[in-house]
Amino acid sequence: SSLISSFTSNIKKIKISGENFSDETILNKINKKWYLESPIQWTANQFAVNEIIQQLNLMEEKAVFSVDELKKTNQSLADYGLETPLLSLELFQENRSLIINIGLSTALGNKIYMFLPNKKRVYVVENNLLKNKPYEIEDLRQKTIFDIPQFEISSLYFQISNSILGSPEDLSVRINKNLKDSAWYFESPLEAYADQTLVSEKISSLTSIDVIKFLDPTILDEALLGFDKPTMKISIQGNKKRQTLILGNKVTNKNQRLNYYAKLESNDSVFIVDSKIFNELVESQKELRNKDFIKFNPDSLSSIEILDAKKTINLQKLENDE
């Protein structure tokens, strides 16, 4: 336990492989945050990675024997599933690493065999490491595309291709938040107040979008993807970070549902997303606009003047608010 925790206390990188994994998974820690480096480049699920580290820290040996002791009984690592381990974790610090190999379950099934090559010892430990199976790429990756917290977002910008609009020009829409009163307003295509509730709901929908499927980069056809002439670009701005999602060509799934090829501007990983919420952005510059033609604070009024062709009526607020 202390041996492992001495590595996890200042861990920089984790490699995950094994007999049950087709691809090696590599996780890097950058500025206190975990990122997937392989088989895809993506923000990691921080909770899932920390859960693995926590499980490693809590491991305790129930029994231990050396490789030499195995040989004396005519046994080998293969008898315990440790020659080609089901799961192999390599933990990295700056200048050293620790390999942890996990093999078969014990006869009763409530414990597993673990081998540390640099110690040349086999340990019997609790089965917590394999119980929840937190090593699949779908569990280790962040589910959403955007990772800027919604409360930090101060600007929403999207550009829609004229091919979608059926018009001669592209549509560019920018909605900004006034940091003084937190009110949203349109900067383009015209200056107008936005509906606060509807903008918040739209941003919540965008930041909740999940990837349907990541694509193997070795089989990708650039012309097929359509990123050279994007269908749409969606950018959100946080306190110190900006993220842009690029949508390429449409693609139909087996249920005839329309999706888009997509990628982040700062990331080479290509994936597929559902088209529904993005298609709704086409009308957003109208739907998200505040329909009130005048905006003021009623409590600040001191007088009202009503005029028509024949008469004028004046209303005055007194000091007692009557």
Side-chain angles (χ1 to χ4, degrees):
S1 178
S2 61
L3 173 66
I4 293 174
S5 61
S6 70
F7 269 83
T8 59
S9 61
N10 193 26
I11 192 169
K12 303 294 184 184
K13 183 177 181 179
I14 302 174
K15 280 186 180 180
I16 302 171
S17 60
E19 193 177 58
N20 295 339
F21 300 89
S22 56
D23 297 305
E24 181 181 66
T25 298
I26 300 176
L27 293 151
N28 280 321
K29 194 175 187 180
I30 304 171
N31 296 328
K32 300 182 179 180
K33 192 171 182 179
W34 286 99
Y35 293 89
L36 279 159
E37 177 186 315
S38 177
I40 58 171
Q41 295 179 346
W42 203 251
T43 304
N45 180 336
Q46 308 301 306
F47 175 80
V49 179
N50 290 328
E51 183 182 18
I52 291 173
I53 294 172
Q54 180 68 7
Q55 288 178 353
L56 288 170
N57 287 337
L58 295 175
M59 289 178 69
E60 294 182 2
E61 64 183 66
K62 302 300 179 182
V64 60
F65 44 91
S66 67
V67 174
D68 290 336
E69 289 176 290
L70 284 180
K71 293 177 181 177
K72 290 178 182 178
T73 58
N74 295 320
Q75 291 181 303
S76 67
L77 292 175
D79 296 316
Y80 297 89
L82 295 167
E83 190 71 49
T84 54
L86 299 175
L87 172 66
S88 180
L89 300 172
E90 188 169 4
L91 314 181
F92 292 85
Q93 291 185 339
E94 290 289 352
N95 301 312
R96 59 179 187 149
S97 66
L98 175 69
I99 297 175
I100 301 171
N101 291 336
I102 303 298
L104 299 172
S105 299
T106 58
L108 295 177
N110 60 340
K111 294 179 177 61
I112 52 176
Y113 295 106
M114 182 184 81
F115 178 53
L116 301 185
N118 66 336
K119 292 290 181 181
K120 296 184 178 180
R121 289 184 177 181
V122 176
Y123 299 83
V124 178
V125 297
E126 294 291 343
N127 195 13
N128 294 332
L129 269 181
L130 296 178
K131 198 172 287 182
N132 299 323
K133 296 183 179 180
Y135 304 100
E136 301 296 334
I137 195 67
E138 285 302 309
D139 296 317
L140 287 173
R141 74 169 179 86
Q142 177 182 273
K143 299 302 180 187
T144 54
I145 296 171
F146 297 106
D147 61 3
I148 300 176
Q150 187 174 347
F151 67 86
E152 280 189 15
I153 297 174
S154 58
S155 180
L156 170 64
Y157 170 76
F158 50 93
Q159 185 175 23
I160 303 174
S161 167
N162 57 9
S163 61
I164 295 294
L165 299 169
S167 64
E169 296 182 354
D170 296 345
L171 171 66
S172 296
V173 178
R174 184 182 297 278
I175 310 174
N176 293 328
K177 180 190 279 188
N178 187 325
L179 299 181
K180 292 182 179 180
D181 59 6
S182 295
W184 288 95
Y185 62 94
F186 280 88
E187 184 178 294
S188 65
L190 77 171
E191 294 184 4
Y193 282 99
D195 186 297
Q196 312 305 304
T197 301
L198 294 181
V199 171
S200 295
E201 289 175 354
K202 186 64 67 178
I203 290 175
S204 178
S205 298
L206 287 170
T207 54
S208 300
I209 297 169
D210 191 6
V211 172
I212 293 176
K213 179 184 178 182
F214 282 93
L215 301 177
D216 184 349
T218 60
I219 62 171
L220 299 180
D221 183 345
E222 293 295 330
L224 176 69
L225 298 176
F227 293 135
D228 56 334
K229 294 182 179 179
T231 300
M232 201 176 299
K233 282 187 176 183
I234 302 96
S235 299
I236 59 173
Q237 178 72 49
N239 290 345
K240 297 180 180 179
K241 187 175 183 179
R242 177 188 175 94
Q243 288 183 300
T244 299
L245 177 65
I246 303 172
L247 301 186
N249 292 330
K250 288 183 178 179
V251 56
T252 306
N253 66 11
K254 60 182 179 180
N255 297 321
Q256 300 303 305
R257 186 180 182 92
L258 286 176
N259 300 318
Y260 283 109
Y261 292 114
K263 68 185 291 291
L264 286 170
E265 193 172 56
S266 59
N267 191 320
D268 292 332
S269 296
V270 178
F271 46 91
I272 293 174
V273 292
D274 193 307
S275 65
K276 183 176 184 296
I277 186 171
F278 301 107
N279 291 339
E280 292 172 353
L281 288 176
V282 173
E283 297 298 328
S284 288
Q285 60 111 353
K286 298 176 183 177
E287 293 176 353
L288 298 181
R289 207 177 302 163
N290 190 323
K291 305 305 187 292
D292 296 334
F293 65 88
I294 188 168
K295 184 178 178 67
F296 60 88
N297 180 5
D299 294 333
S300 67
L301 289 179
S302 58
S303 65
I304 301 174
E305 185 178 57
I306 305 171
L307 303 92
D308 66 14
K310 296 180 180 179
K311 61 182 180 294
T312 300
I313 299 174
N314 287 298
L315 301 173
Q316 184 75 35
K317 182 186 284 188
L318 303 179
E319 291 181 0
N320 62 358
D321 286 339
E322 293 290 332

